[in-house]
Amino acid sequence: MQMNCQGVYCQDAAAEWANQLCQQFSLPRLATPHGWHLVREADALVLRNADMPKQGDILVDFASGAATYRRKFGGGKSEGIAKAVGLHKKAGLTVVDATAGLGRDAFVLASLGAHVTLVERNPAVVALLQDGLRRAALDPLLADWLPARMQLVHASAHQALRDLPAPDVVFLDPMFPAREKSAAVKKEMAAFHQVVGTDDDADALLPLALALAQKRVVVKRPGYAEFLNLQKPSMSIVGKNNRFDVYVIAAIS
């Protein structure tokens, strides 16, 4: 995976938040903003491209209108992701989201009662997730449940799938190259691809996930993509743009 975040920019040389980020994630402190960089916008940490100020901002906001709408009206436990993971059968499942990205699927699962460990290896994305969780813990609509259901781990998926305690479910959503000549890709996702690249080693995750999960492994794929590691799943739940390939290990009761 490539790392295209150039560092942390803050005009205030003594700013504690910037110094902490640089130390925690071994990122350089930028004297002037260039390329993709982390910067503070109001109280939120954002990933910004100096060539596209504000237009290309990426941040994690679990209290955003879109996140709130999906939590309230997204279909609940009848959603494809909930059925794939098994939350329509049993609440409170433990899930390792080994390729957490911006945490949106993990947030949906947590809002439906799952206890999710988010694993992300890209330092800039981990910083965004950490900041999103910090702000969510201050939100009165989220503070009473979200911190207890979402935990963040900074590690590669390969390392996490070897070291973490066995969960009920392992969820994988590796970055996949956009299909050539496909319909318009969301600007944010296109930008995200620029920063984190693609998961060229994704096939190797499936055997590790199958060895760790107690109940099932769920792989989120674009509708046109082949099975991960070319391994046929027990079943697939197909949506409009994506599908969830489910590898059943044991029944959820």
Side-chain angles (χ1 to χ4, degrees):
M1 176 182 283
Q2 61 191 25
M3 174 57 187
N4 285 335
C5 176
Q6 303 301 313
V8 178
Y9 172 69
C10 179
Q11 289 181 310
D12 181 1
E16 185 177 355
W17 70 267
N19 293 330
Q20 288 179 344
L21 278 184
C22 291
Q23 293 174 8
Q24 182 177 359
F25 297 110
S26 299
L27 294 169
R29 183 73 179 265
L30 301 178
T32 57
H34 60 273
W36 287 103
H37 60 279
L38 292 167
V39 64
R40 193 69 104 179
E41 178 71 22
D43 188 42
L45 185 69
V46 302
L47 187 63
R48 178 173 295 169
N49 191 318
D51 298 324
M52 305 184 293
K54 296 191 178 181
Q55 297 178 14
D57 281 2
I58 298 174
L59 76 161
V60 173
D61 188 359
F62 297 119
S64 70
T68 300
Y69 184 88
R70 185 173 180 189
R71 177 168 60 88
K72 291 183 176 180
F73 308 111
K77 292 185 179 179
S78 65
E79 256 196 277
I81 189 172
K83 290 182 176 179
V85 169
L87 288 169
H88 64 304
K89 294 184 177 181
K90 183 179 180 180
L93 292 171
T94 55
V95 179
V96 168
D97 182 351
T99 51
L102 295 174
R104 290 173 182 165
D105 287 327
F107 175 72
V108 171
L109 294 174
S111 70
L112 295 173
H115 295 270
V116 188
T117 299
L118 297 84
V119 177
E120 178 54 50
R121 62 179 170 180
N122 188 295
V125 180
V126 176
L128 295 177
L129 286 167
Q130 179 176 273
D131 187 68
L133 290 170
R134 175 190 66 82
R135 285 181 284 108
L138 301 175
D139 188 292
L141 297 178
L142 303 176
D144 61 340
W145 62 269
L146 187 145
R149 294 189 203 163
M150 296 180 74
Q151 305 297 321
L152 178 61
V153 173
H154 181 194
S156 71
H158 295 76
Q159 177 185 337
L161 292 175
R162 290 186 176 97
D163 297 344
L164 287 175
D168 295 313
V169 181
V170 172
F171 183 82
L172 300 174
D173 181 16
M175 292 290 286
F176 198 84
R179 181 169 53 178
E180 292 183 11
K181 300 181 182 179
S182 63
V185 177
K186 288 183 179 180
K187 290 182 180 179
E188 184 185 60
M189 188 52 63
F192 197 60
H193 270 277
Q194 291 179 26
V195 175
V196 304
T198 56
D199 291 323
D200 298 327
D201 52 357
D203 282 342
L205 295 178
L206 186 57
L208 295 173
L210 290 169
L212 182 67
Q214 298 185 73
K215 301 297 185 183
R216 59 179 60 181
V217 173
V218 177
V219 183
K220 183 179 179 180
R221 301 293 272 169
Y224 60 86
E226 70 277 2
F227 298 134
L228 191 63
N229 203 32
L230 300 180
Q231 187 167 337
K232 186 177 180 180
S234 307
M235 61 180 177
S236 294
I237 298 174
V238 181
K240 183 178 180 181
N241 299 312
N242 301 305
R243 72 172 192 271
F244 298 97
D245 295 332
V246 183
Y247 300 82
V248 176
I249 299 166
I252 294 175
S253 58

